[in-house]
Amino acid sequence: MKLLYNNHHQNRTQRMAFAGLFVILLPIFVPNLFEPLGRASPTMLSEWNAPKPRHSSLLKIALHRQIPTEQQSELWSPLVSQGWRPCAESTALPKKSRGYVQVFLDGGLNQQRMGICDAVAVAKILNATLVLPHLEVNPVWRDSSSFADIFDVDHFISSLRDEISIVKELPSEYSWSSREYYATGIRDTRIKTAPVHASANWYLENVLPILQSYGIAAIAPFSHRLAFDNLPTNIQHLRCKVNFQALVFVPHIRKLGETIVHRLRHPPGKLQASGTEFHKGRIGDSEVTGAGKFTVLHLRFDKDMAAHSACDFGGGKAEKLALAKYRQVIWQGRVLNSQFTDEELRNQGRCPLTPEEIGLLLAALGFNNGTRLYLASHKVYGGEARISTLQKLFPLMEDKKSIASAEELAKIEGKASLSAAVDYYVSMQSDIFISASPGNMHNALVGHRAYLNLKTIRPNMTLLGKLFLNKSMGWTEFQHAVRNGHKNRLGHIRLRKSKQSIYTYPAPDCMCQS
């Protein structure tokens, strides 16, 4: 018996060892399953079988929808004044700087953008000189773009010259204070303990003494390290001035963005996608209500989001298994949503919208199949198979690669931050913007467009989750429910509540009543 037990125990240990080895080696042999940049590619565990439409009865009618002219006119009309206007009162530049402040920012483009705004505010609170923020290499997108690669440095410095001193690099006596210096040991001039959403007093009590002792302080990490509440009005105004006025993209990003916007507004007569049952031939401006206008859809549906949501997206057992394995490897299974059923998650509005669902939402809101839709997205989980239904609903859908040449895109190729910057620029020029699910880009654009009173659709995720669960609902009922549920979600000013981001809700901190 003892021998049998020992053999059994040994075999069990070997199986566990092999299982552990399998988990370690799986990303090497099947990189698409785990690579962030491979999210649109089919994996051997998921998208070989294209997911079928989940709402075929709604889709069938939506493909042949007829939108009344009056509804089209209302949809495309700009927002009327809501009684708010941008206001950013300037404050005097301190007579003497107390030293230099460095910050090291991680995250993607829009997280770094918010960090830059906070860095300016912290330097102002400390009466210090800000060194141009250092952008860390993004571990997800592996983009090494610097501040100067993305933003117009001279415009940034000159826009803020009356409020704060900013230098491109440290003077020679502080040249030792670098990213490499802080990576190789514990340094007295580095602050690693800045709490999330720290108060102004925290910086005065903890960072100012270091400035006074050494003439320099380096803060890392720095993302989300300044509170949104209980700050002086001038500091809040300064944060918004940085975000909405001082941060301008470099010329080649603006030029590419303008090229895309021009082609969206003034396209040549365009042959429609083959395989559609409508608008065969060419569509001219005279045939389309909303001619010369376009909508930007930020479609965030990557593998991280799909897996972390723990929702069912209709890809069958293979997709469920692939996403479950991804959750286990990336988060060791520690995903809060996993304890809920798909129905419970959808009733709570916690499932991201699929391309099919966002297409049905747009169709119900009144966008016809002649709408010029620009897709702002990095990669979509499931690739072309997942997007095909959206393409059928909106055959004039474009993205960077379809509307610009390879030569025009050369400077941003392989650079996720620069690519996101182009999408941000185009999104700010659009007549209407809609994001399929929350995230940093959604939050940044919702706030920026609210600041300028531009039409922005915020999907009612709880309502939509319940509507898409109802498989017996007809198109007319669905359309009516969607329109009623979004009457006040088309760019209407929402006042910031406690702890909410000033960059998503700029009123009332950064806006004045007319």
Side-chain angles (χ1 to χ4, degrees), residues 152-374:
D152 187 326
V153 174
D154 292 334
H155 177 85
F156 178 70
I157 294 174
S158 64
S159 297
L160 302 170
R161 65 179 179 272
D162 295 331
E163 311 227 25
I164 184 174
S165 176
I166 302 172
V167 295
K168 296 179 182 179
E169 56 186 28
L170 287 165
S172 56
E173 63 263 37
Y174 294 108
S175 60
W176 49 265
S177 183
S178 64
R179 188 69 187 87
E180 293 71 27
Y181 173 73
Y182 294 111
T184 56
I186 298 173
R187 311 297 185 183
D188 292 337
T189 52
R190 180 182 176 184
I191 295 93
K192 298 176 63 177
T193 57
V196 172
H197 299 154
S199 67
N201 282 339
W202 187 92
Y203 285 97
L204 292 171
E205 293 169 2
N206 294 276
V207 181
L208 183 57
I210 293 175
L211 273 179
Q212 292 171 330
S213 297
Y214 300 97
I216 190 168
I219 311 172
F222 188 71
S223 295
H224 309 295
R225 289 311 196 270
L226 182 61
F228 292 118
D229 300 320
N230 303 315
L231 289 175
T233 301
N234 70 305
I235 296 297
Q236 299 288 61
H237 283 181
L238 179 58
R239 292 167 97 176
C240 285
K241 183 175 182 179
V242 178
N243 194 29
F244 304 133
Q245 298 176 33
L247 285 175
V248 171
F249 296 123
V250 291
H252 79 85
I253 293 292
R254 302 200 303 270
K255 182 180 178 182
L256 177 55
E258 282 295 343
T259 298
I260 292 172
V261 169
H262 180 79
R263 289 173 187 169
L264 288 166
R265 294 202 184 282
H266 309 285
K270 187 166 181 179
L271 189 64
Q272 297 315 295
S274 60
T276 60
E277 300 178 23
F278 41 83
H279 281 298
K280 296 186 187 294
R282 296 179 181 273
I283 293 182
D285 282 352
S286 61
E287 299 175 54
V288 184
T289 306
K293 299 185 178 183
F294 72 97
T295 296
V296 169
L297 165 62
H298 177 233
L299 182 59
R300 189 185 174 201
F301 194 77
D302 55 41
K303 193 167 188 175
D304 274 358
M305 172 169 279
H308 199 269
S309 71
C311 299
D312 178 6
F313 299 107
K317 292 182 179 179
E319 184 175 88
K320 287 182 182 179
L321 177 61
L323 294 179
K325 286 183 178 294
Y326 189 86
R327 276 194 295 274
Q328 183 61 40
V329 172
I330 302 301
W331 300 289
Q332 291 75 51
R334 296 191 296 270
V335 175
L336 180 63
N337 282 2
S338 296
Q339 63 185 296
F340 299 103
T341 66
D342 180 72
E343 183 176 350
E344 289 171 333
L345 292 170
R346 292 186 182 280
N347 273 315
Q348 296 169 30
R350 292 165 73 172
C351 291
L353 297 175
T354 65
E356 176 191 1
E357 289 167 344
I358 196 72
L360 289 170
L361 167 62
L362 290 171
L365 287 172
F367 291 92
N368 65 19
N369 52 25
T371 299
R372 296 189 182 99
L373 187 67
Y374 177 81

Side-chain angles (χ1 to χ4, degrees), residues 386-439:
R386 188 79 72 178
I387 299 177
S388 60
T389 302
L390 179 63
Q391 182 79 59
K392 290 177 183 177
L393 285 165
F394 297 97
L396 294 183
M397 187 172 74
E398 306 272 13
D399 61 14
K400 285 186 291 293
K401 291 185 177 180
S402 69
I403 204 168
S405 68
E407 184 180 356
E408 289 170 323
L409 297 173
K411 287 186 176 180
I412 68 168
E413 184 64 31
K415 299 285 187 180
S417 292
L418 299 186
S419 181
V422 173
D423 282 342
Y424 191 105
Y425 184 90
V426 175
S427 297
M428 285 304 300
Q429 306 303 314
S430 67
D431 299 279
I432 302 173
F433 172 80
I434 181 169
S435 182
S437 54

